[in-house]
């Protein structure tokens, strides 16, 4: 991918030591393994929810609220510590941070597998979130420090393709495990993978850090953690209540934004800031982080409703549902590593804008889905959506990572992941709320007309299509018309939500078209401050 030319007379960038450069692809493989378990685990958990909700011994008998907190506990800790972990990686060493994160994630996984109550599961999921927060930014930061600048777009494309693969493989792996083992197997499977990744990392991955990190900024770190946790909690609570104007939601979310505003002011005034706010004045950087937030907003919202469409409306098993998503992963796996070639020819602006529009079209294409839509139509939409994503994520990630000097790679990676996480969380909350509200409005009339069903039971049955189908099952043959009404109400709600996702994707296309740089001529690279490298155990 072409980069902006250096100032006249600037010296060439220092090269990465040969003993590290020679094993760069092996290092990337280890980083992908570390990334795989973090991303895969969250997609596996979605498949296991029904099983965990069943009474013991098959499950834990978790309530809907407890299931939500099993997800949200991870999300809160993960999102709140992403930025901090990136800063620590730059300061004390990215390899150290990654090893710590993997060890904590593995321990949390083993404990979650052995949980005997929903409360224990929630606590151990929070521990896994702590580990995951230290893994995600470090993988990308290390990548930037073992590949030369001209190879970074290709490496980031492989990294992005691996993320897409993990998202799709998770439901398949979860379905296979639940078909043969108990619910805790979806967590226990992480342990041997973590041990393998730790051993390979100790041998292959070099240490790197910022050689001149400056003074620590504890106030800035504290403000970032508090602000992100409050903001994400407010978003999650709004989705749970289906009411983003509720006092507790506004107080928490606005409080988080206020703390983050104080964080920005503090960074501007500090002589040793955690992050240089001036980077956000670069249009390419700001457009890239905005694009990541918007595309994950749209994608996670669709992922939320497509699971119910495939399983509840179409009647497929969790394993079959996972297999149906494979085209999305296949497209990302094939096209993401090659996105740099298209960017070199047409420029990041054109490629990312086209990718956003392709995603928007596939979101709108969800309007064609019915109870009897041929599977090839759904598969085509998934493949096209994956193709669009594959031409968005690598270029915008490259724009973010190359906007900051190499020694700040941890901070850049943390910002990349923070915006992605907040955007995805907001997508699930807002679009999930839109889905449930529209569904409830659509099914309520049918439920009110049911004879002999108490009011509280009708209200509970209107909360989701799963709840409605549960009532229909208890009614026996008399509940068959209710199933048809539930399908119709859900399809309408899904179509409204898909239009919302499409609108967000179009907004993303406008942002990248307006602010992301176009095609630029390749040129020698400006000097970058040399990072401090240390060889791993093997050379």
């Amino acid at each position: 991918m072409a980069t902006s030319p250096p100032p006249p007379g600037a010296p060439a960038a220092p090269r990465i030591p040969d003993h590290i450069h020679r094993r760069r692809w092996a290092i990337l493989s280890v980083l992908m393994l570390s990334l795989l378990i973090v991303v895969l685990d969250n997609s596996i958990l979605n498949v296991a929810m029904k099983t965990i909700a069943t009474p013991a011994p098959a499950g834990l008998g978790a309530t809907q609220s407890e299931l939500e907190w099993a997800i949200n506990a991870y999300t809160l800790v993960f999102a709140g510590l992403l930025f901090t972990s990136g800063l620590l990686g730059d300061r004390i060493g990215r390899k150290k941070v990654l090893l710590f994160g993997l060890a904590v994630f593995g321990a949390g996984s083993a404990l979650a597998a052995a949980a005997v109550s929903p409360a224990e599961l929630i606590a151990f999921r929070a521990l896994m979130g702590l580990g995951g927060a230290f893994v995600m930014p470090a993988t990308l930061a290390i990548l930037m420090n073992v590949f030369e600048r001209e190879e970074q777009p290709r490496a980031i494309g492989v990294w992005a393709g691996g993320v897409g693969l993990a998202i799709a493989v998770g439901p398949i792996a979860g379905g296979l495990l639940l078909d043969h083992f108990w619910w805790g197997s979806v967590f226990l499977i992480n342990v041997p993978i973590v041990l393998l990744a730790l051993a390979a990392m100790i041998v292959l991955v070099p240490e790197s850090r910022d050689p001149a990190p400056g003074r620590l900024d504890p106030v800035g770190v504290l403000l970032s953690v508090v602000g992100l946790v409050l903001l994400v909690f407010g978003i999650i609570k709004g989705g749970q209540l289906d009411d983003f104007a509720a006092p507790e939601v506004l107080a928490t979310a606005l409080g988080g934004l206020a703390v983050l505003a104080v964080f920005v002011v503090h960074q501007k005034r500090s002589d040793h800031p955690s992050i240089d706010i001036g980077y956000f004045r670069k249009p390419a950087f700001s457009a890239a982080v905005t694009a990541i937030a918007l595309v994950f907003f749209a994608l996670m919202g669709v992922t939320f409703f497509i699971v119910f469409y495939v399983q509840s409306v179409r009647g497929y098993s969790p394993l079959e549902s996972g297999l149906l998503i494979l085209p999305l992963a296949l497209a990302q796996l094939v096209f993401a590593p090659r996105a740099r070639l298209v960017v070199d020819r047409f420029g990041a602006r054109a490629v990312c804008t086209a990718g956003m529009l392709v995603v928007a079209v596939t979101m709108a294409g969800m309007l064609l889905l019915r109870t009897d839509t041929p599977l090839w139509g759904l598969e085509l939409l998934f493949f096209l959506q994956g193709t669009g994503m594959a031409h968005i994520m690598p270029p915008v990630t490259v724009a973010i990572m190359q906007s900051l000097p190499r020694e700040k790679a941890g901070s850049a990676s943390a910002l990349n992941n923070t915006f992605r996480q907040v955007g995805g969380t907001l997508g699930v909350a807002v679009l999930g709320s839109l889905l449930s509200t529209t569904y409830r409005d659509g099914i309520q009339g049918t439920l009110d007309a049911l004879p002999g069903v108490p009011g509280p039971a009708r209200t509970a049955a209107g909360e989701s299509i799963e709840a409605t189908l549960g009532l229909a099952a208890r009614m026996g043959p008399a509940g068959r018309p209710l199933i048809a009404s539930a399908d119709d109400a859900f399809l309408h709600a899904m179509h409204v939500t898909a239009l919302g996702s499409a609108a967000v994707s179009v907004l993303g296309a406008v942002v990248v078209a307006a602010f992301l740089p176009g095609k630029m001529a390749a040129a020698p690279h400006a000097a970058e401050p040399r990072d401090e490298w240390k060889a791993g155990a093997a050379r």
Side-chain angles (χ1 to χ4, degrees):
M1 187 181 299
T3 54
S4 55
R15 309 298 291 182
I16 292 169
D18 287 341
H19 66 274
I20 293 175
H21 190 256
R22 282 195 302 268
R23 62 176 189 262
R24 63 197 183 283
W25 294 107
I27 293 170
L28 179 58
S29 299
V30 177
L31 297 177
M32 293 299 296
L33 187 61
S34 306
L35 182 69
L36 178 70
I37 58 171
V38 174
V39 179
L40 183 144
D41 177 77
N42 284 292
S43 53
I44 280 183
L45 182 60
N46 292 332
V47 175
M49 282 299 176
K50 281 188 178 181
T51 307
I52 295 173
T54 58
L60 292 178
T63 65
Q64 182 64 33
S65 175
E66 289 168 336
L67 289 175
E68 289 174 355
W69 273 110
I71 296 175
N72 295 338
Y74 181 99
T75 301
L76 276 174
V77 177
F78 183 78
L81 292 177
L82 275 172
F83 183 68
T84 301
S85 70
L87 295 177
L88 285 175
D90 286 344
R91 175 172 291 274
I92 67 174
R94 294 146 196 149
K95 180 178 179 178
K96 290 186 182 71
V97 164
L98 185 48
L99 289 172
F100 169 78
L102 277 175
V104 171
F105 189 87
S109 298
L111 291 169
V116 295
S117 69
E120 285 189 4
L121 179 62
I122 292 169
F124 297 142
R125 283 286 295 166
L127 184 63
M128 292 173 68
L130 171 64
F134 281 80
V135 171
M136 282 288 283
T139 59
L140 193 52
I142 292 173
L143 181 156
M144 298 298 290
N145 280 278
V146 298
F147 284 89
E148 296 291 356
R149 190 177 180 91
E150 60 270 15
E151 286 188 315
Q152 288 169 1
R154 181 184 177 192
I156 288 175
V158 174
W159 182 88
V163 173
L165 177 65
I167 290 173
V169 169
I172 299 172
L176 288 171
L177 289 169
L178 291 173
D179 279 349
H180 297 89
F181 305 101
W182 95 114
W183 66 267
S185 62
V186 301
F187 299 113
L188 195 61
I189 190 63
N190 294 330
V191 177
I193 303 176
V194 164
L195 293 175
L196 176 62
L198 285 171
M201 195 170 301
I202 291 171
V203 172
L204 287 172
V205 176
E207 182 62 282
S208 65
R209 62 171 65 87
D210 184 348
R215 290 163 52 200
L216 190 64
D217 178 24
V219 175
V221 170
L222 179 62
L223 288 172
S224 70
V225 172
V226 173
L228 285 170
V229 168
L230 288 175
L231 175 61
V232 172
F233 181 81
I235 293 170
I236 291 171
K237 195 65 178 177
Q240 288 178 333
L241 298 176
D242 284 346
D243 183 7
F244 286 88
E248 60 265 47
V249 174
L250 288 176
T252 309
L254 293 179
L257 289 173
V259 173
L260 290 175
V262 174
F263 167 75
V264 171
V265 173
H266 172 73
Q267 296 303 289
K268 286 182 176 180
R269 295 180 176 178
S270 175
D271 57 359
H272 55 285
S274 299
I275 184 69
D276 185 353
I277 300 299
Y279 290 121
F280 286 91
R281 299 192 188 100
K282 298 179 179 181
F285 181 83
S286 294
V289 294
T290 301
I292 277 189
L294 291 176
V295 76
F296 269 84
F297 181 103
L299 179 67
M300 296 308 293
V302 167
T303 303
F304 181 83
F305 70 66
I306 207 67
V307 170
F308 291 100
Y309 168 73
V310 173
Q311 293 188 29
S312 301
V313 176
R314 302 300 297 267
Y316 291 102
S317 69
L319 177 57
E320 291 168 334
S321 301
L323 291 170
L324 288 174
I325 303 175
L326 271 181
L328 188 147
L330 180 63
Q332 292 192 58
L333 195 63
V334 170
F335 294 115
R338 295 169 174 79
R340 74 190 193 285
L341 303 176
V342 188
V343 172
D344 285 343
R345 182 168 183 179
F346 300 104
R349 178 190 301 156
V351 172
C352 290
T353 301
M356 279 287 195
L357 291 176
V358 168
V359 171
V361 168
T362 60
M363 299 295 185
M366 301 287 179
L367 296 174
L368 301 175
L369 298 180
R370 297 288 188 272
T371 56
D372 57 353
T373 301
L375 281 183
W376 66 262
L378 180 62
E379 300 297 83
L380 178 61
L381 286 174
F382 280 150
F383 185 81
L384 291 175
Q385 191 171 97
T387 302
M389 290 285 296
H391 289 88
I392 299 168
M393 298 310 299
V396 297
T397 303
V398 170
I400 293 170
M401 298 304 297
Q402 291 191 345
S403 291
L404 276 67
R406 181 186 287 159
E407 73 273 14
K408 300 297 183 185
S411 302
S413 179
L415 288 170
N416 172 73
N417 284 288
T418 298
F419 275 83
R420 182 172 67 181
Q421 183 67 33
V422 172
T425 303
L426 192 59
V428 170
V430 173
L431 295 178
S433 178
L434 177 62
L435 178 78
S436 60
T437 299
T438 308
Y439 175 78
R440 188 165 53 245
D441 291 344
I443 196 65
Q444 201 61 54
T446 303
L447 291 172
D448 289 342
L450 290 176
V453 178
R458 287 198 299 268
T459 301
E463 291 301 312
S464 68
I465 186 172
E466 281 295 316
T468 307
L469 294 178
L471 175 62
R474 292 193 296 273
M475 293 174 64
R480 289 174 185 169
L482 182 57
I483 295 176
S485 297
D487 288 347
D488 290 341
F490 182 82
L491 287 172
H492 172 66
M494 184 180 80
H495 293 159
V496 171
T497 308
L499 282 177
S501 296
V504 171
S505 300
V506 171
L507 176 61
V510 172
V511 169
V512 297
F515 299 108
L516 212 61
K519 186 177 180 182
M520 293 179 291
H525 305 303
E528 296 177 355
R530 180 181 289 275
D531 225 338
E532 179 182 328
W533 287 284
K534 289 184 180 179
R539 299 211 173 185

